[in-house]
Amino acid sequence: MSDIVLDLKGIAKSYLKGTPGEVRVLSGLDLSVRRGEVVALVAPSGAGKSTLLHIAGLLDTADAGTVTISGRAMAGLSDRARTDVRRGEVGFVYQFHHLLPEFSALENIVLPQLANAVPKSRAEARARELLARVGIAPRADHRPAELSGGEQQRVAFCRALANGPKLLLADEPTGNLDPATADQVFAALMELVRDTGLSALIATHNLELAARMDRVVHLDNGVLH
Ligand code: ADP
């Protein structure tokens, strides 16, 4: 079995292709993330971090290149099969929590599992276990608006991990928090990732956080180095 969880080869992406305003964002980029490895993706704003994460997470498609997840080539998969991979094998966290406001923390973690055909009682047990791991079990019945920014992000991490993905993709997950909270929330995320043996690609501006990951890659002029 392959030890590479995410393998990107020759990824290219431009926006507004074929127009005078064409923006070449990724220019034949390669990246491999091994099982259990946590990679920091560092780049200035506008360099293409979100574009890269969206392509890796099958939320967008590249103009050229291949995406392989857990040894399985994504090219040529049906939309249905891509959705299954995205739902079951990849977890996403954004800078803003994007929790559903009318549902509790617990329900926000249960819903993606129900969409993945997990029985409700098992989904709730897993949601409670995840909330306990990130230290906010007592907040299970609170809605997002009743949680602090740090707590909201902790719930978003739990939701991303709800279906037991192999790969976590995170786009500035602590970028919206004050430095002290960012530090604690990042520590909670790393503990969760280490406990579950997940692989992760985490975009950040924060070089101090980047240095706490296993490896740092810099995105510059459409390639990594
Ligand atoms: P980052 O996440 O590093 O800030 P993005 O991946 O969001 O960068 O964007 C990279 C570049 O691509 C930016 O110059 C941005 O303006 C441009 N871009 C992103 N999405 C689109 C789009 N849908 N149409 C046109 N240009 C886009």
Side-chain angles (χ1 to χ4, degrees):
M1 202 162 130
S2 167
D3 194 40
I4 305 291
V5 171
L6 172 67
D7 201 17
L8 303 177
K9 285 228 170 10
I11 299 291
K13 179 79 177 177
S14 298
Y15 291 109
L16 308 173
K17 253 183 119 58
T19 74
E22 177 166 341
V23 188
R24 193 166 172 80
V25 183
L26 305 175
S27 314
L29 169 157
D30 297 330
L31 174 67
S32 297
V33 181
R34 292 193 305 273
R35 190 190 317 281
E37 189 181 32
V38 179
V39 177
L41 173 62
V42 175
S45 188
K49 294 187 298 292
S50 305
T51 301
L52 173 57
L53 290 169
H54 287 162
I55 290 170
L58 310 180
L59 295 166
D60 197 358
T61 49
D63 300 331
T66 58
V67 178
T68 306
I69 296 177
S70 300
R72 193 164 160 219
M74 294 295 119
L77 286 191
S78 65
D79 282 350
R80 173 73 197 271
R82 283 169 69 90
T83 303
D84 284 348
V85 172
R86 200 163 58 222
R87 206 181 262 158
E89 298 199 28
V90 182
F92 238 104
V93 181
Y94 301 89
Q95 182 172 359
F96 298 97
H97 58 79
H98 294 304
L99 296 170
L100 297 171
E102 66 276 38
F103 291 99
S104 69
L106 187 89
E107 288 164 338
N108 267 280
I109 306 166
V110 165
L111 287 170
Q113 298 181 75
L114 299 184
N116 213 24
V118 176
K120 192 164 178 227
S121 59
R122 218 171 82 206
E124 285 186 359
R126 172 148 179 88
R128 287 192 194 285
E129 184 202 317
L130 285 166
L131 285 168
R133 282 215 215 160
V134 296
I136 52 168
R139 298 284 182 274
D141 298 324
H142 291 223
R143 290 183 184 194
E146 300 158 353
L147 299 170
S148 71
E151 288 168 345
Q152 289 166 345
Q153 277 309 73
R154 287 172 201 252
V155 177
F157 298 159
C158 295
R159 179 187 52 185
L161 267 62
N163 284 322
K166 297 189 175 69
L167 175 67
L168 177 73
L169 299 171
D171 198 352
E172 304 269 1
T174 60
N176 194 35
L177 304 172
D178 66 77
T181 307
D183 204 69
Q184 288 164 10
V185 167
F186 180 77
L189 176 63
M190 285 299 277
E191 211 175 303
L192 203 54
V193 166
R194 296 303 189 198
D195 273 7
T196 46
L198 258 182
S199 305
L201 180 60
I202 303 177
T204 182
H205 276 116
N206 185 327
L207 296 179
E208 218 172 283
L209 295 187
R212 283 154 65 180
M213 302 187 215
D214 298 325
R215 184 156 62 97
V216 181
V217 294
H218 295 266
L219 176 58
D220 186 22
N221 275 323
V223 291
L224 293 177
H225 41 133

